[in-house]
Amino acid sequence: MADCTESKIDIRGCKIHMRRGGTGDPALFLHGAGGIPGWIPAFQSLSESLDLMVPDHPTYGLSDEPEWLDDMNDLAMFYLDMLDELDLNGVHLIGNSLGGWLAMEIAVRSSTRIKSLTLVGSAGIRIKGKPIVDIFMMDPDDLVRELFVDQTIAENILGMNLTEEQTDIQLRNRVSTARLGWQPRLFNPNLRKWLHRIKVPTHVIWGDTDRIIDPVYAAEFGKVIAGSQVTMIEKAGHLPHIEQAETFVKAVSGFIQSKAA
Amino acid sequence: MKVFAFHLMPYAALDMSYAEKYSSVWLKLPNSYFDPKIGYELYNRYLDELELAAELGFDGVCVNEHHQNAYGLMPSPVVMASALAGRTGDAKIAILGNAFGLREHPLTLAEEHAMIDCITGGRLITGMVRGVGCEYFSMGANPAYSLERHIEAHDLVIRAWTEEGPFAFEGKHYHFEYVNTWPRPYQQPHPPIWCPSQGSSETIKWAAHPDRKYTYLQTYSAFDSVLRYLNSYRAAARDLYGYAATSKQIAWCTPAYVADTDAQAIDEARPHIQTMFNKLLPKISQSMFVPPGYMSNESMKQIFAHKATLRGGQTIEDMIARGVIAVGSPDTVRSILIERHRQAGFDHLLLMPQFGTMPGELAEKNIRLLAAEVIPALQTLNDDDYIGFEPAAAAAE
Amino acid sequence: MNVFMFHLMPYAALDMKERDKHPSAWVTLPNKLFDPKIGHELYNRYLDELELADELGFDGVSVNEHHQNAYGLMPSPVVMAASLARRTSNCKIAILGNAFALREHPLTLAEEHAMIDCITGGRLITGFVRGIGAEFYSMAANPTLSHERHMEAHDLIIRAWTEEGPFAFEGKHYHFEYVNMWPRPYQDPHPPIWCPSLGSTETIEWAAHPDRKYVYAQNYSPFTNVCKFLDQYRSTAQDMYGYEASSSQIGWTAPVYVADTDEQAVAEATEHMEALFNKFLYLPFETLFPPGYLTAQSYKRVASHKRGIMGSQTMEALIENGVVIVGSPDTVRKKLIECHEVLGFSTFVALMHFGTLPADKTERSMRLFAEEVLPAIQPLSDREYRGFEPASAAAE
């Protein structure tokens, strides 16, 4: 079913697990706190028009845990290294949640190799009085339920029997997210002042019922990043690419084709 | 008027030959010069002195914060205030002050002050200071942000004390998702807040603000400077904020020593006060006391002008003449202090009965004599004895 | 044997109905439930109880650190230790412990401990703890860095206490250009360091290291776990480090209640002991173990015994499992002598106030303990300990 190849890529001694499929413009999907469940339908659809790369970040999933990775700055610089090493140009960055924060950190540092930016339920900035829900304090099962509007998706996930390896990865991902985003909680207070540096076409996509990062953030990003477009996806929570895959893919591809060809 | 006994708790047994190798007793004087066995005796003696003062009728006792130096051995006045908590009767306990903005976690201090306030049933006074320049070297805190952090730390602590938790504090320098301080202070809304200062105009304006009206404490200086700064607080209240500051918002601190005669007092105090001012006190002339960004250029210039007289080589006679200290027979000292009050109207007077190398017998004698012969008269003073702000300001010009 | 009286200083007047509307008594339990007038009375009562312990002949008193909760009202045990400094004359004062690595400036604590050590003429014991999971929410410290920071903070403090300043400390998490601590501690080289723990292999291995040989004190555990971990400390010393741990490195902490008869003790203490565990101590799993606080291995092990000492505890089970020691003076005395015979701990830390236990019962329990139990257990030493080898053999 999965039309992707999985391999290990070595970037300056750090090996990351990479899934890659499709042809077209290069696109890099940057995952959020929960990691990558697999080559989901949305990835498959996107790969019909894009050369889609979906890595596990260093310290997540099946990738290495390098000693030098302390914070989001390090992770952003790593990806800039990766773009250089793989000599990728005109990349469409797509970042979800923590991955959206990461995408912005990359883009403000250097957009030379980037053609567009898509933020999906993104972390990274803070609106006073509107914290991101404390994903660390929540019971992990409750967290799964809060991610989706459609509770059958949640129940399916909770009902799965995980292998030892899968449980380990889950725990690992959680720790990595805490390392990057415990304090300040999933945002960088010094990011907003540099968002003007993002000059590539930017698309902000949000589930209208996102119970983790309030949809008010969608409007905020739309305001702060000049020329950006905001698309709300109905009946979707924090992971619209899973919950409303078709609508999501249409929005992403549509934007890329019309604004960032 | 309320009269307090203030203690710096210096390392009075310092080997003075240190001066052959080190230019200051702050920061870089190796801590091998500190003998813990002597420290043990000094600490207990100093606590005894403060407890004695409380017993004999002083309205309160005061301690303060200084790091890594022989001038003041209380990097944590919280420890001293706690040690005094159960042994000072009804006297106030004033921490003058803690440097909240030096901390990455000012809530620790807020918790500690709340604990002490609860233990003492509301006898705590919370002083908030920025910390003298040297602390920024010791603590690794950035002096360029000193004022900003001080203000934000203050706001955080006030909210922690008065707003129901849990709440998130989203500041520039401080950001906490869960502020929910247990315990809360005993006094409502919180302990009185004082601002000790060497004369910073930023501090004065901030403290006098109608939202705060914090008691401003001018630390030891030539008296004409003291008067000028205390008056500038009253002026700020009147001109910037449109209200008349009360004398309860005004405080002065001075070393004070009494003996049977003027000559005897001067003789007994001389070596110790001269050591304190010439050897132990921070020397403004040294850059470690005014790191870059610590104060505005305007303030820097002002402080340099009035502190020039505190730079090394002062004699006790100089200090008495300039009104930096009050030394003499009980009659002399009483008159001096009454006269000072007549001019400046401070409702809080902090006397420092031990200074520099002064040994225990003299400190105790001093405290007893002050308590018996000087402070009762002072404690009856009030605004009726004060010439008032306008005449004072006019007279000063 | 050295016997300490431990106090948690809970907000014993907590409105339990209100408490039950929240997940726990920690972090998010609104502080409007704290009445400062009651706090004033409780603090002074608790300080009186600890001073009474000094008077009654306990070898030491102990306090500890917890933030933003009703379980323990000492976000700063330094305040309490300093309060006790001049109100006790003979006993040790043990801060069990301070979480040095929760701080960005651990030297502040080092300064405070040095001050207290000087004031008391060397009666301080410094406990190093990482802080339980909840503190990482309250203090905004990153739990994934907890172990690293704990060790680095420790190294910084030891150097500050023992190396002549000024010197620069160039660590990963802590970097200070001028470390030059005034005052220095009274005790040479520094106050004894203890490591209170709920049972951690990392803590044991770190504490038992020959460079450190810190006292390890096991707390709040079923007796089987106490045995396991205290013996693990000894075997770690022997097998990993090649030396024989002395019993002075071994400690046990447990809630204790004494009354005239077993039945009376149980009747009087049950409500308050159950309140300690079920209302005050209880923590939801994610608050107790935020991500990265435990190693992956430890986390998985603990997650499988999730309900351990949390959740609904009954007095019966607590007594049966040996988590608490409750009974007549005879029962309590016998129990401690027996346990000492098996484990040889030369430090016993008795939590003699717990939960909502009122003042009169606390005092009576303390007096009974002091009169009827202390004289029998304080003289205990390695003579009465059956020794390590038989213990490990018996365990197999």
Side-chain angles (χ1 to χ4, degrees), chain A residues 7-81:
Chain A
S7 62
K8 286 284 193 294
I9 313 248
D10 187 321
I11 307 293
R12 300 182 79 246
C14 173
K15 289 196 276 307
I16 57 169
H17 185 81
M18 177 68 89
R19 304 164 194 77
R20 192 168 184 174
T23 47
D25 276 359
L28 181 61
F29 183 92
L30 299 170
H31 69 74
I36 296 293
W39 190 253
I40 55 178
F43 295 157
Q44 180 60 21
S45 302
L46 285 170
S47 71
E48 279 160 22
S49 58
L50 296 165
D51 169 12
L52 182 64
M53 287 164 274
V54 183
D56 289 338
H57 306 320
T59 73
Y60 283 82
L62 296 170
S63 293
D64 279 1
E65 251 183 74
E67 240 189 46
W68 47 258
L69 201 148
D70 291 325
D71 54 25
M72 189 53 92
N73 173 63
D74 292 336
L75 194 52
M77 297 305 282
F78 169 82
Y79 274 108
L80 285 172
D81 273 356

Side-chain angles (χ1 to χ4, degrees), chain A residues 162-204:
Chain A
L162 296 178
T163 65
E164 181 82 22
E165 196 194 19
Q166 284 170 319
T167 309
D168 281 349
I169 286 177
Q170 239 180 34
L171 291 179
R172 213 173 159 235
N173 290 349
R174 206 144 181 269
V175 172
S176 298
T177 301
R179 188 180 298 111
L180 295 171
W182 179 271
Q183 176 71 14
R185 265 294 193 286
L186 299 167
F187 74 100
N188 175 359
N190 293 313
L191 178 59
R192 183 193 284 252
K193 64 175 116 151
W194 298 112
L195 287 178
H196 66 269
R197 291 184 55 78
I198 296 178
K199 301 207 166 55
V200 298
T202 299
H203 192 191
V204 180

Side-chain angles (χ1 to χ4, degrees), chain B residues 209-283:
Chain B
H209 192 287
D211 290 351
R212 290 179 282 277
K213 295 189 180 177
Y214 294 157
T215 298
Y216 175 77
L217 168 62
Q218 179 62 33
T219 53
Y220 23 88
S221 315
F223 193 75
D224 58 355
S225 296
V226 171
L227 186 56
R228 196 166 0 103
Y229 286 118
L230 295 183
N231 282 341
S232 73
Y233 181 94
R234 292 188 195 262
R238 182 193 58 198
D239 303 331
L240 284 179
Y241 303 125
Y243 78 95
T246 75
S247 294
K248 288 203 188 325
Q249 289 168 254
I250 310 288
W252 177 41
C253 177
T254 182
Y257 190 80
V258 288
D260 291 335
T261 66
D262 286 352
Q264 187 187 341
I266 290 172
D267 241 14
E268 287 175 357
R270 180 193 309 278
H272 313 300
I273 196 76
Q274 287 179 187
T275 303
M276 177 190 157
F277 276 83
N278 299 334
K279 301 259 182 208
L280 302 181
L281 198 65
K283 290 201 179 38

Side-chain angles (χ1 to χ4, degrees), chain B residues 177-195:
Chain B
E177 299 295 346
Y178 299 96
V179 180
N180 187 18
T181 305
W182 285 69
R184 295 185 297 111
Y186 187 91
Q187 297 175 78
Q188 293 299 309
H190 53 68
I193 295 180
W194 288 25
C195 299

Side-chain angles (χ1 to χ4, degrees), chain B residues 130-141:
Chain B
R130 295 207 355 228
V132 299
C134 198
E135 319 293 10
Y136 289 78
F137 289 90
S138 286
M139 300 285 283

Side-chain angles (χ1 to χ4, degrees), chain A residues 101-163:
Chain A
W101 174 14
L102 171 57
M104 286 186 286
E105 294 281 358
I106 294 168
V108 300
R109 282 165 176 74
S110 170
S111 291
T112 315
R113 294 178 180 273
I114 295 167
K115 203 194 275 193
S116 79
L117 177 64
T118 303
L119 301 174
V120 186
S122 179
I125 65 173
R126 172 70 160 246
I127 298 172
K128 282 204 207 282
K130 283 242 169 263
I132 292 174
V133 158
D134 193 342
I135 60 172
F136 302 115
M137 194 181 263
M138 284 176 87
D139 181 280
D141 287 358
D142 288 343
L143 176 54
V144 172
R145 295 191 184 97
E146 289 295 287
L147 289 171
F148 302 103
V149 174
D150 182 351
Q151 288 300 291
T152 57
I153 303 182
E155 292 310 319
N156 284 338
I157 292 175
L158 291 173
M160 281 177 3
N161 275 322
L162 296 178
T163 65

